[in-house]
Amino acid sequence: MMKTRTFSSRIGIIRNTCVAVIVLLTLFSAKSYAQTKIFANTVSAQSRVDNALNATLNDNTFASVNSYGGIAIGIGSYSGELELKYPAAVAAGITSYIRIDFDGDVLNRLLGGVWVPYWLM
């Protein structure tokens, strides 16, 4: 018996071949867009900071910015500052990330949560 190809099977072969060619062309000629880490490389200002240069390194070291709320009505309070510069201008709309270590409950209250004292409940 002789196999004969029908018109619909030829269309299927042509379609599959076209899809394979398009996929190959797309994979080999397309640009890949992935996240690239850009680190600040200069400490431009610091006040009450421990190990400020560690903030510019790509490892597990860190800088500590110190602050204190003071006693009673702010007596003896102080705040710290760490200002970093990038090697080149960073485009608008680019997200920057800062790693911090602090009590999560306190951060939630400060940055977006509403805290109701227990004696008001």
Side-chain angles (χ1 to χ4, degrees):
M1 254 197 198
M2 198 168 139
K3 290 185 180 179
T4 58
R5 301 207 182 251
T6 63
F7 180 73
S8 62
S9 66
R10 287 183 187 155
I11 290 178
I13 292 170
I14 293 170
R15 182 182 61 223
N16 290 342
T17 303
C18 289
V19 169
V21 168
I22 291 171
V23 167
L24 288 174
L25 288 175
T26 303
L27 288 176
F28 292 116
S29 66
K31 291 183 179 180
S32 176
Y33 297 97
Q35 184 177 4
T36 303
K37 291 183 179 181
I38 301 172
F39 293 93
N41 63 349
T42 306
V43 176
S44 58
Q46 63 174 328
S47 172
R48 292 187 172 89
V49 178
D50 299 331
N51 304 317
L53 289 177
N54 287 348
T56 62
L57 303 175
N58 182 15
D59 58 10
N60 288 326
T61 60
F62 57 91
S64 295
V65 180
N66 301 301
S67 66
Y68 176 62
I71 53 175
I73 52 175
I75 298 172
S77 67
Y78 61 88
S79 61
E81 171 189 2
L82 177 61
E83 183 177 305
L84 302 171
K85 286 191 176 180
Y86 289 93
V90 178
I94 301 296
T95 304
S96 293
Y97 296 94
I98 299 172
R99 181 179 59 180
I100 60 173
D101 182 22
F102 201 74
D103 183 15
D105 292 334
V106 173
L107 286 177
N108 284 334
R109 286 185 224 138
L110 290 173
L111 299 175
V114 176
W115 180 66
V116 178
Y118 69 93
W119 48 269
L120 288 178
M121 292 182 190

